[in-house]
RNA sequence: CGGGCGGUGGCUUAGCCCGGCAAAGCGCCUGCUUUGGGAGCAGGAGACCGGCGGUUCGAAUCCGCCCCGCCCGACCA
């Protein structure tokens, strides 16, 4: 490809609406252009890199025994209504109505398509296991699209679905996929980790996220300083100091706290630490009222709360809920909650004594509140949100919060979909049983952003060979000198014929522009033909990743390029 | 959806407080001069200042409503 013809106009300055480095560089280097929030056009360079990722994923999926199919994006609503996800996905699913008035959706994921498909075709345990995958654009009306390709409303995903006859089989299929995922991310040169995660709307029990470490990322995860624990923030736990305080029990005393209804206001007013206040938060879990108790310096993890309660939907009390219940927002305490409220306390407050908490009246708090004597706890659960510095659940080491981009997520679904959709096979004894399923996603367009985020410097992108749109750029440094142009052209043709993925920068611009663009786009290697070298019969080679420059005789240039590319990461 | 910030030629921005000829750099076109790390000079094209309404003799500027985008948060590959 000649750059004079390539549909790629690089930008000297970052567009104002891009903040993340990967986003800015992908736009500046002419890989992508924004169409609207969370929706991007793939330009030739970006599309080539995206295809490379796709092919890596395909080869590893095929190698792991999965078979590629292609499922529709436009979906009927019925199976979604059966599994409850038509509602559960809510506004995150793009919904439309056809001319006949039927509800349709754009696919955010495809369990509801693949499960009935397999159930209709593979009816016997003899057919199992089977694993089907596709690479297709997905649609989710995200609450907040972010960082360009990192979280789009339209994104390219590889989704695979395994079907097994029993739990052991499902686990084996799962392991095979996890190993394939490791190879995919290794081949993409990603610095990544595997963590325990929350299964969200997909459901199921065991699941893992593959996280690419980045300074900007849509995801927060927790790691132990000793490296023995890592989990997504939504799933992370911590050791709670269970040792009971030996403090003497103080009497329950009301104190006036006029106008002070935030934790900060109250403890400052009373001259105490936030950890001494017992926060009482009202939730509705599948409709039932639940009070959650945590220390004043900790937040509730609603994902963990939902799981602890076995609830599908957990949301905080609205003002209407407060009005209907007669509880006083801002001055809640567990002492006088009605009997129909389930009181859930985070394990970390178990040892605490003499709490400050609300008095259930405006402008009143109490001190000296104690569990057992003054209030009851119906359930002790692990529902606290991990904070920086909490103790590791494995070793007690200090936990740290880091950001990452989730590039893959694997789930052991069990019968989450096969049961409601009545997707069954006949086992050895002739009994109908639901399939044991797994599902496995890789964000392909997201990998493009994650790799850009991890492989760059202040000059631009630094693509690993496996993902670079082209391996090499041949730069003619002096377009006014026919000898230079002729030599560059000749080398370009030769490299092309040898099968290299090479572009020829034959644009009529100054050398500086070409060098800057070559660094910005991030070709792994650059070959520079200029009048300076030509005098001594040489060309210059540069490795983008290390900045290493060498000279090679013109005749030897193609093999020198091949050797240099060998070295490139 | 809540909080914060923003929308002015293709891009980055100034102008907005304090109303009075829409401006600069980059990019683009023409010509000349240049040519190894985003060259120089000269000329040129390109903007109903996000939209609608209001105030005013006069609105990019003031007021109201709406739309769009970015960042933080709640959700996710």
């Amino acid at each position: 490809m000649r750059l004079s013809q390539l549909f790629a106009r690089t930008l000297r300055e970052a567009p104002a609406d891009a903040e993340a480095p990967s986003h800015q560089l992908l736009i500046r280097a002419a890989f992508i252009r924004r169409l609207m929030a969370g929706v991007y056009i793939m330009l030739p360079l970006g599309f080539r890199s995206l295809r490379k990722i796709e092919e890596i994923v395909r080869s590893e999926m095929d190698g792991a025994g999965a078979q590629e199919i292609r499922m529709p994006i436009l979906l009927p609503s019925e199976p979604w209504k059966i599994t409850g996800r038509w509602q559960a996905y809510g506004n995150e699913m793009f919904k439309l109505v056809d001319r006949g008035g039927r509800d349709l959706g754009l696919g955010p994921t495809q369990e509801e398509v693949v499960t009935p498909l397999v159930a209709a075709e593979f009816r016997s345990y003899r057919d199992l296991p089977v694993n089907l995958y596709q690479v297709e654009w997905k649609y989710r009306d995200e609450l907040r699209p972010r960082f360009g390709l990192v979280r789009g409303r339209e994104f390219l995903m590889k989704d695979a679905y395994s079907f097994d006859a029993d739990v052991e089989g499902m686990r084996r299929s799962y392991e095979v996929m996890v190993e394939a995922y490791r190879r995919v991310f290794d081949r993409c040169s990603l610095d990544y980790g595997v963590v325990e995660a929350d299964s969200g709307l997909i459901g199921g029990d065991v699941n893992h996220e593959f996280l690419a470490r980045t300074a900007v990322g849509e995801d927060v995860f927790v790691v132990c300083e000793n490296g023995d624990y890592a989990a997504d923030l939504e799933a992370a736990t911590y050791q709670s100091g269970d040792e009971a305080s030996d403090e003497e029990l103080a009497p329950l005393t009301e104190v006036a706290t006029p106008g002070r209804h935030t934790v900060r206001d109250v403890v400052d007013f009373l001259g105490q630490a936030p950890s001494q206040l017992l926060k009482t938060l009202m939730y509705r879990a599948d409709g039932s009222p639940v009070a959650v108790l945590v220390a004043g310096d900790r937040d509730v993890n609603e994902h963990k709360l939902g799981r602890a309660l076995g609830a599908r939907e957990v949301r905080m009390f609205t003002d209407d809920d407060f009005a209907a219940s007669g509880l006083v927002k801002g001055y809640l305490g567990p002492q006088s909650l009605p009997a129909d409220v389930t009181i859930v306390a985070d394990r970390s407050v178990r040892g605490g004594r003499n709490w400050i908490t609300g008095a259930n009246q405006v402008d009143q708090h109490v001190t000296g509140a104690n569990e057992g004597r003054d209030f009851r706890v119906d359930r002790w659960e692990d529902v606290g949100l991990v904070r920086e510095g909490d103790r590791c659940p494995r070793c007690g080491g200090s936990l740290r919060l880091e950001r990452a981009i989730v590039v893959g997520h694997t789930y052991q679904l069990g019968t989450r979909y096969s049961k409601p959709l009545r997707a069954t096979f006949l086992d050895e004894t002739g009994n109908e049983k639901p399939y044991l399923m797994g599902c496995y996603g890789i964000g392909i367009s997201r990998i493009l952003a994650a790799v850009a985020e991890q492989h760059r410097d202040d000059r631009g992108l630094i693509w690993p060979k496996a993902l670079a749109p082209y391996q090499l750029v041949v730069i003619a440094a002096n377009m006014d000198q026919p000898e230079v142009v002729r030599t560059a052209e000749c080398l370009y043709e030769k490299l092309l014929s040898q099968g290299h993925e090479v572009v020829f920068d034959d644009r009529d611009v100054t050398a500086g522009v070409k060098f800057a663009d070559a660094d910005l786009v991030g070709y792994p290697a650059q070959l520079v033909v200029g009048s300076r070298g030509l005098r001594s019969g040489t060309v210059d080679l540069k490795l983008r990743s290390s900045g290493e420059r060498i000279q090679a005789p013109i005749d030897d240039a193609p093999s020198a390029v091949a050797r240099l590319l060998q070295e490139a990461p």
Side-chain angles (χ1 to χ4, degrees):
Chain A
M1 181 45 118
R2 289 161 187 270
L3 288 192
S4 59
Q5 280 146 44
L6 183 68
F7 189 70
R9 194 48 57 77
T10 57
L11 269 40
R12 194 185 288 218
E13 284 169 299
D17 59 6
E19 191 119 329
S22 61
H23 189 196
Q24 292 187 348
L25 289 172
L26 286 171
I27 289 173
R28 286 188 54 210
F31 279 61
I32 60 172
R33 291 288 181 258
R34 189 178 64 91
L35 184 63
M36 57 177 166
V39 180
Y40 288 83
I41 298 164
M42 288 281 161
L43 300 181
L45 291 172
F47 199 39
R48 281 184 70 97
S49 284
L50 191 73
R51 286 231 161 116
K52 300 242 167 142
I53 301 168
E54 264 186 76
E55 286 317 309
I56 288 171
V57 170
R58 282 207 173 87
S59 72
E60 293 299 340
M61 287 297 109
D62 293 344
Q67 301 171 57
E68 186 169 12
I69 61 173
R70 193 269 157 182
M71 287 181 267
I73 293 167
L74 190 62
L75 307 174
S77 60
E78 288 76 18
W80 291 78
K81 288 173 177 163
I82 292 170
T83 59
R85 291 210 296 181
W86 185 255
Q87 238 218 317
Y89 249 102
N91 289 334
E92 215 172 302
M93 192 160 169
F94 282 103
K95 294 172 179 172
L96 48 154
V97 178
D98 73 9
R99 66 212 302 167
R102 280 175 292 269
D103 286 329
L104 303 177
L106 298 183
T109 170
Q110 247 83 354
E111 284 80 6
E112 278 82 350
V113 177
V114 73
T115 307
L117 172 72
V118 171
E121 309 288 332
F122 274 23
R123 306 284 312 146
S124 161
Y125 72 96
R126 290 201 187 91
D127 297 326
L128 303 178
V130 63
N131 187 332
L132 301 176
Y133 80 97
Q134 69 167 350
V135 175
E136 193 50 83
W137 293 90
K138 295 289 185 285
Y139 296 83
R140 295 184 190 172
D141 196 359
E142 292 286 347
L143 290 172
R144 179 144 105 88
R146 280 217 263 192
F147 308 137
L149 259 27
V150 170
R151 186 195 282 153
R153 297 197 291 173
E154 178 189 76
F155 60 97
L156 189 60
M157 179 165 114
K158 185 285 303 176
D159 44 326
Y161 306 88
S162 68
F163 296 80
D164 277 272
D166 51 37
V167 172
E168 295 72 48
M170 173 182 75
R171 291 195 181 128
R172 273 196 301 277
S173 296
Y174 187 85
E175 284 313 313
V176 169
M177 280 293 110
V178 167
E179 282 315 305
Y181 271 40
R182 289 184 181 280
R183 284 192 296 274
V184 166
F185 300 127
D186 286 341
R187 287 175 65 182
C188 290
S189 299
L190 276 172
D191 170 25
Y192 70 97
V194 186
V195 305
E196 299 167 18
D198 183 84
S199 62
L201 280 171
I202 304 284
D205 187 15
V206 174
N207 73 99
H208 292 92
E209 279 178 342
F210 295 73
L211 303 180
R213 262 165 228 246
T214 50
V216 300
E218 25 68 68
D219 197 74
V220 178
F221 73 107
V222 171
V223 274
C224 172
E225 58 180 346
N226 300 321
D228 59 346
Y229 179 70
D232 192 277
L233 183 60
E234 292 171 357
T237 65
Y238 57 97
Q239 268 184 30
S240 42
D242 279 329
E243 64 283 0
S245 157
D246 51 5
E247 209 176 309
E248 233 170 88
L249 293 194
L252 185 69
T253 313
E254 286 208 5
V255 289
T257 51
R260 293 167 175 85
H261 56 267
T262 68
V263 171
R264 192 78 253 170
D265 289 347
V266 173
V267 298
D268 284 354
F269 181 67
L270 298 175
Q272 299 284 330
S275 57
Q276 204 43 53
L277 185 142
L278 191 62
K279 217 165 29 173
T280 307
L281 299 163
M282 295 303 302
Y283 284 91
R284 284 200 178 275
D286 291 345
S288 315
V290 175
V292 181
L293 308 181
V294 290
D297 56 352
R298 186 175 295 281
D299 290 321
V300 172
N301 182 330
E302 292 178 13
H303 302 272
K304 285 161 70 176
L305 178 62
R307 258 173 285 141
L309 297 172
R312 282 205 146 199
E313 189 206 0
V314 171
R315 57 169 181 80
M316 289 195 89
F317 256 39
T318 60
D319 288 342
D320 289 345
D321 287 325
F322 277 107
S325 65
L327 294 169
V328 186
K329 188 181 175 184
Y331 299 94
L332 284 175
Q335 318 82 278
S336 45
L337 288 170
D340 66 327
V341 175
T342 306
I343 303 182
V344 177
D346 186 57
R347 292 174 326 188
S348 63
V349 305
R350 181 164 247 156
R353 286 196 182 173
N354 298 330
W355 295 101
I356 302 164
T357 189
N360 291 322
Q361 306 173 38
V362 174
D363 294 345
Q364 292 286 320
H365 280 78
V366 298
T367 60
N370 284 285
E371 190 258 324
R373 188 191 69 185
D374 305 315
F375 62 88
R376 70 175 204 277
V377 167
D378 298 319
R379 303 174 60 163
W380 294 97
E381 299 286 355
D382 171 20
V383 295
L385 189 70
V386 172
R387 293 171 313 186
E388 189 91 25
D390 277 339
R391 310 243 72 84
C392 169
R394 303 257 159 81
C395 73
S398 182
L399 293 176
R400 228 179 26 244
L401 266 49
E402 291 191 2
R403 280 201 167 257
I405 296 172
V406 180
V407 288
H409 201 158
T410 53
Y411 306 81
Q412 292 181 18
L413 296 173
T415 57
R416 163 73 180 88
Y417 295 92
S418 50
K419 255 196 186 141
L421 292 168
R422 300 176 191 283
T424 58
F425 63 95
L426 291 176
D427 70 7
E428 303 91 315
T429 60
N431 289 317
E432 287 210 3
K433 283 173 57 177
Y435 302 95
L436 276 298
M437 292 174 56
C439 78
Y440 318 90
I442 290 182
I444 291 181
S445 47
R446 182 176 269 186
I447 288 177
L448 194 65
V451 173
E453 199 64 46
Q454 288 186 352
H455 299 276
R456 62 187 164 82
D457 61 17
D458 52 358
R459 294 180 166 285
L461 298 162
I462 306 173
W463 291 105
K465 272 183 295 192
L467 269 51
Y470 293 92
Q471 304 296 301
L472 173 71
V473 56
V474 174
I475 294 173
N478 319 93
M479 289 303 287
D480 60 327
Q481 296 179 32
E483 184 60 22
V484 168
V485 178
R486 211 176 309 123
T487 307
E489 175 129 29
C490 184
L491 282 170
Y492 164 66
E493 295 290 350
K494 182 147 197 186
L495 288 160
L496 253 192
S497 70
Q498 290 177 352
H500 283 99
E501 292 183 283
V502 54
V503 288
F504 176 27
D505 198 343
D506 61 337
R507 292 176 301 167
D508 194 15
V509 295
T510 60
V513 172
K514 295 185 179 184
F515 296 143
D517 270 352
D519 287 345
L520 176 61
V521 171
Y523 309 99
Q526 304 169 13
L527 190 165
V528 182
V529 182
S531 52
R532 232 163 51 186
L534 242 44
R535 263 175 252 134
S536 52
T538 62
V539 295
D540 298 341
L541 299 175
K542 176 179 159 183
L543 203 56
R544 177 67 177 93
S545 54
S546 63
E548 176 191 354
R549 293 158 197 266
I550 56 170
Q551 295 197 326
I554 294 168
D555 292 342
D556 186 44
S559 52
V561 163
R563 283 196 300 277
L564 192 70
L565 276 171
Q566 283 287 312
E567 272 179 54

